[in-house]
Amino acid sequence: MKITNEILEAHLNCNTKGLRKLAGESGTKSDYEMMSTEARQASREAAVAKLVARIPDASRGVPVTVETLKEGKLLLADATLEDEAMSLHLEALKRSEGASKLGDHHYVPVLHVNGVKVGTRERLFLAVFGLALSGVQGFRPAVGLVICGPEGRPARVELDGKLYGQAEQALGELKRIQAGGEPSRLVLNKHCQQCEFRQRCHEEAVKADEISLLSGVGEKELKRYNRKGIFTLTQLSCSFRPRRRSRRSPPLEKRQHALHAMAIRDRRIYLFWGAEPPRQSRPGLPGHGRAAGLTDKPNA
Ligand code: SF4
């Protein structure tokens, strides 16, 4: 399959999701995902319509080719960019001054965001569009534009070398998989809760004894464990070493992932240093009196 917006978005959320979408697979979408897709679509339509209404010299639904860009229209809305590997839909392209293969002008990508915040993922999306656009106009735009919400409030995003580097990496990874390259490991992440493949991935993770089954293990920690040769929950559970603590010991890490893994492996509850079971229940709380040998039943 060609790389589309949906595949790109899936890949930016999770490598495994991108891979599955690229293979043409689909799962069971949650109500939340369907509702947010619908809301985003409606907001996008309204914002693009407003943008087109504001600029008189605008065209809609044009293919992005050297010929169409050379015409020099101020705005190209709902543009499609196709090559042998990609089929991208761009909300709009805006003309900007500055020499390129097209002449004395070039185009910058416009992205719709259904919210007020322009996050890393949106910036990366714009950089991928800029990268794809540079293949046609022979010039990498230094900025991208964002239109926010149904009102289409404009914002400007600098597209620097670092962002383009990340975009190249993301596109390169997708193209590598597209060409039949080895897929990356399954790693559960915070997008899983709303992902259509969550059931399947969870089952696969349990089967593979994945460390990412532990909530709270971030990407950095996972890499750190992998560097030490720890790839499964069982391996992680064996790495727990309780140490004597003194007053001068550094503060404890909030989460002891190895201990957590050990508790899961042994199906037991472990209490770590500093955790003390309550000695006496407090008045007003359910069960008060039991600790003192009393029961809730009168005359018992
Ligand atoms: S469930 Fe999680 S790991 Fe699986 S594809 Fe979705 S986001 Fe990725």
Side-chain angles (χ1 to χ4, degrees), residues 15-16 184-190 205 209-233 235-236 257:
N15 287 351
T16 308
S184 46
R185 269 175 76 101
L186 167 75
V187 177
L188 301 182
N189 54 75
K190 58 180 182 228
D209 199 22
E210 262 298 326
I211 296 179
S212 57
L213 278 165
L214 286 184
S215 57
V217 179
E219 208 176 317
K220 266 189 193 170
E221 272 165 319
L222 213 52
K223 280 185 185 159
R224 189 159 57 86
Y225 291 137
N226 290 171
R227 275 199 301 273
K228 289 181 186 170
I230 299 172
F231 293 94
T232 64
L233 263 184
Q235 289 171 342
L236 180 62
H257 296 302

Side-chain angles (χ1 to χ4, degrees), residues 30-277:
S30 64
D31 291 347
Y32 172 79
E33 198 175 1
M34 286 198 285
M35 270 167 52
S36 58
T37 307
E38 270 175 33
R40 206 166 54 166
Q41 189 67 15
S43 168
R44 196 194 77 83
E45 286 295 328
V48 173
K50 277 188 184 154
L51 187 66
V52 171
R54 273 206 300 268
I55 299 174
D57 185 25
S59 292
R60 270 192 107 153
V62 287
V64 180
T65 61
V66 176
E67 291 72 38
T68 51
L69 298 191
K70 267 189 175 171
E71 286 175 17
K73 295 257 183 193
L74 278 181
L75 187 86
L76 304 172
D78 286 324
T80 43
L81 196 156
E82 294 253 3
D83 65 14
E84 63 283 352
M86 295 186 285
S87 174
L88 296 178
H89 173 268
L90 289 88
E91 262 91 56
L93 295 178
K94 194 161 184 303
R95 183 185 155 135
S96 181
E97 296 311 310
S100 71
K101 209 166 92 179
L102 310 170
D104 58 359
H105 70 278
H106 64 272
Y107 282 86
V108 298
V110 181
L111 177 78
H112 171 258
V113 175
N114 188 26
V116 286
K117 198 174 157 222
V118 182
T120 315
R121 211 184 53 173
E122 287 77 25
R123 287 156 49 82
L124 205 48
F125 234 101
L126 265 178
V128 171
F129 287 161
L131 208 56
L133 196 53
S134 71
V136 183
Q137 64 183 9
F139 178 81
R140 278 187 186 185
V143 292
L145 300 174
V146 172
I147 44 175
C148 302
E151 308 82 28
R153 261 173 293 105
R156 201 179 137 99
V157 173
E158 301 286 331
L159 301 177
D160 56 18
K162 189 179 167 197
L163 210 50
Y164 273 125
Q166 291 170 348
E168 274 173 335
Q169 202 181 345
L171 261 186
E173 174 74 3
L174 273 174
K175 286 182 180 171
R176 187 184 66 76
I177 298 169
Q178 201 179 32
E182 189 70 18
S184 46
R185 269 175 76 101
L186 167 75
V187 177
L188 301 182
N189 54 75
K190 58 180 182 228
H191 181 68
C192 295
Q193 282 180 349
Q194 49 176 295
C195 176
E196 59 194 278
F197 299 110
R198 60 196 175 285
Q199 179 81 27
R200 177 174 157 192
C201 285
H202 187 264
E203 284 166 12
E204 284 179 20
V206 169
K207 215 165 155 186
D209 199 22
E210 262 298 326
I211 296 179
S212 57
L213 278 165
L214 286 184
S215 57
V217 179
E219 208 176 317
K220 266 189 193 170
E221 272 165 319
L222 213 52
K223 280 185 185 159
R224 189 159 57 86
Y225 291 137
N226 290 171
R227 275 199 301 273
K228 289 181 186 170
I230 299 172
F231 293 94
T232 64
L233 263 184
T234 311
Q235 289 171 342
L236 180 62
S237 67
C238 296
S239 70
F240 180 72
R241 299 276 177 277
R243 293 200 174 89
R244 273 188 178 282
R245 294 188 53 79
S246 70
R247 282 191 187 162
R248 270 173 285 164
S249 301
L252 280 174
E253 283 177 29
K254 264 191 185 163
R255 290 191 151 209
Q256 300 283 328
H257 296 302
L259 181 63
H260 192 171
M262 196 165 86
I264 292 173
R265 181 195 67 188
D266 300 344
R267 294 173 186 269
R268 297 181 74 172
I269 295 171
Y270 290 108
L271 294 179
F272 195 55
W273 175 278
E276 284 187 15

